[in-house]
């Protein structure tokens, strides 16, 4: 499975933007970049995904580098509820198997009031 | 919104006992996944069903573990002869098996083996 590298932890302040980086230098042409987050005492939840173009949804934005070797999850205005572990995961669109998610360690985001 | 439901939320058992967990996926989701998560680690894949067929099992799933999904609806995960190393959060997820559909996770069953 293609691997991703994320910082172990990050800290930000409430109501400020947060940029969560992810490196995936061995990404293949058919790998989609997915982000999930896990709030305390809950299962992971889907945040956003993209292939080449930047993507926006109600939760976040995903900025993908032109060479696709890195990406950044952007929370435009962090709230205390955004404190969670954020996982950057590659999923191969050509994989005919389980399409399972392979989680790394993720980035633990702390939001200061 | 009836999400993925897992029962029980917590289970404490003594070493050597058998335990069974249940997962009710989102209706009409044909794919169901089991994961295990220990403290400070990301979830680890255990097994996956498409409808009632178990199509993939991780090497983490030892002979003491068995999962079923009769009739392609709910699923059970049984651990026989539990060991202290089995203590973890067991997460279930489901998805609509079309392309890269997002996985929807339950809030897990926390197992403590004493």
């Amino acid at each position: 499975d293609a691997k991703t590298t994320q910082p172990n932890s990050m800290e930000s302040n409430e109501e400020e933007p947060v940029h969560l980086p992810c490196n995936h230098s061995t990404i293949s042409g058919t790998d989609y970049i997915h982000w999930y987050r896990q709030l305390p005492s809950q299962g992971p939840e889907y945040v956003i995904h993209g292939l080449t173009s930047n993507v926006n949804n109600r939760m976040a934005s995903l900025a993908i580098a032109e060479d696709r070797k890195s990406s950044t999850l952007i929370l435009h205005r962090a709230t205390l509820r955004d404190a969670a572990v954020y996982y950057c995961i590659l999923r191969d669109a050509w994989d005919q198997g389980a399409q399972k998610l392979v989680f790394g360690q993720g980035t633990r985001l702390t939001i200061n009031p | 919104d009836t999400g993925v439901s897992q029962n029980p939320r917590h289970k404490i058992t003594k070493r050597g006992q058998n335990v069974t967990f249940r997962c009710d996926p989102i209706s009409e989701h044909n794919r169901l996944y089991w994961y295990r998560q220990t403290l400070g680690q990301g979830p680890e894949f255990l097994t996956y069903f498409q409808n009632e067929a178990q199509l993939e099992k991780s090497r983490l799933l030892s002979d003491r573990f068995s999962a079923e999904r009769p009739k392609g609806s709910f699923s059970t995960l049984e651990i026989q002869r539990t060991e202290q190393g089995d203590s973890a959060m067991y997460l279930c997820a489901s998805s609509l098996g079309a392309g890269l559909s997002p996985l929807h996770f339950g809030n897990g069953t926390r197992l403590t083996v004493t």
Side-chain angles (χ1 to χ4, degrees):
Chain A
D1 296 313
K3 293 193 173 179
T4 63
T5 305
Q6 300 177 252
N8 288 334
S9 62
M10 289 185 65
E11 201 169 325
S12 186
N13 297 319
E14 200 175 7
E15 298 186 3
E16 290 184 357
V18 180
H19 291 235
L20 295 161
C22 180
N23 287 322
H24 26 78
S25 58
T26 59
I27 192 170
S28 76
T30 53
D31 282 327
Y32 279 72
I33 302 156
H34 286 244
W35 285 81
Y36 281 72
R37 72 179 186 181
Q38 188 170 21
L39 302 172
S41 302
Q42 294 188 22
E45 65 174 343
Y46 168 80
V47 177
I48 200 167
H49 77 278
L51 182 64
T52 56
S53 304
N54 295 343
V55 184
N56 301 295
N57 67 20
R58 63 175 180 82
M59 289 180 71
S61 295
L62 176 59
I64 301 172
E66 198 170 333
D67 64 4
R68 300 207 330 122
K69 293 188 176 187
S70 66
S71 60
T72 302
L73 180 71
I74 302 166
L75 307 179
H76 293 285
R77 200 160 168 261
T79 69
L80 295 177
R81 198 190 170 278
D82 291 319
V85 179
Y86 286 78
Y87 297 99
C88 170
I89 300 167
L90 301 182
R91 294 182 82 189
D92 186 353
W94 283 92
D95 181 3
Q96 295 302 306
Q99 293 287 354
K100 61 184 180 288
L101 299 173
V102 179
F103 290 84
Q105 299 275 59
T107 296
R108 182 172 298 278
L109 176 64
T110 301
I111 304 295
N112 299 315
Chain B
D1 178 16
T2 55
V4 177
S5 176
Q6 292 190 247
N7 287 289
R9 286 298 311 272
H10 304 273
K11 179 71 178 179
I12 300 174
T13 191
K14 292 186 177 180
R15 187 163 51 101
Q17 298 294 305
N18 299 345
V19 294
T20 301
F21 311 139
R22 178 179 170 123
C23 171
D24 288 273
I26 294 172
S27 59
E28 298 177 357
H29 277 194
N30 58 339
R31 294 189 172 198
L32 187 145
Y33 306 78
W34 284 98
Y35 282 79
R36 180 176 71 185
Q37 185 173 27
T38 53
L39 204 60
Q41 304 297 314
E44 298 172 293
F45 170 78
L46 292 178
T47 189
Y48 142 76
F49 290 84
Q50 179 150 316
N51 300 313
E52 66 275 8
Q54 188 174 18
L55 297 184
E56 187 172 341
K57 292 196 288 187
S58 160
R59 289 170 301 193
L60 292 174
L61 214 64
S62 75
D63 292 345
R64 296 184 298 104
F65 287 70
S66 63
E68 293 183 344
R69 192 183 182 198
K71 302 177 185 177
S73 56
F74 71 93
S75 176
T76 57
L77 178 68
E78 181 184 17
I79 309 175
Q80 297 182 327
R81 305 181 303 281
T82 52
E83 302 172 355
Q84 287 188 320
D86 297 330
S87 295
M89 176 74 81
Y90 290 84
L91 293 162
C92 175
S94 69
S95 74
L96 201 53
L100 298 174
S101 301
L103 271 64
H104 297 259
F105 284 82
N107 288 330
T109 294
R110 179 166 297 284
L111 173 66
T112 303
V113 181
T114 61

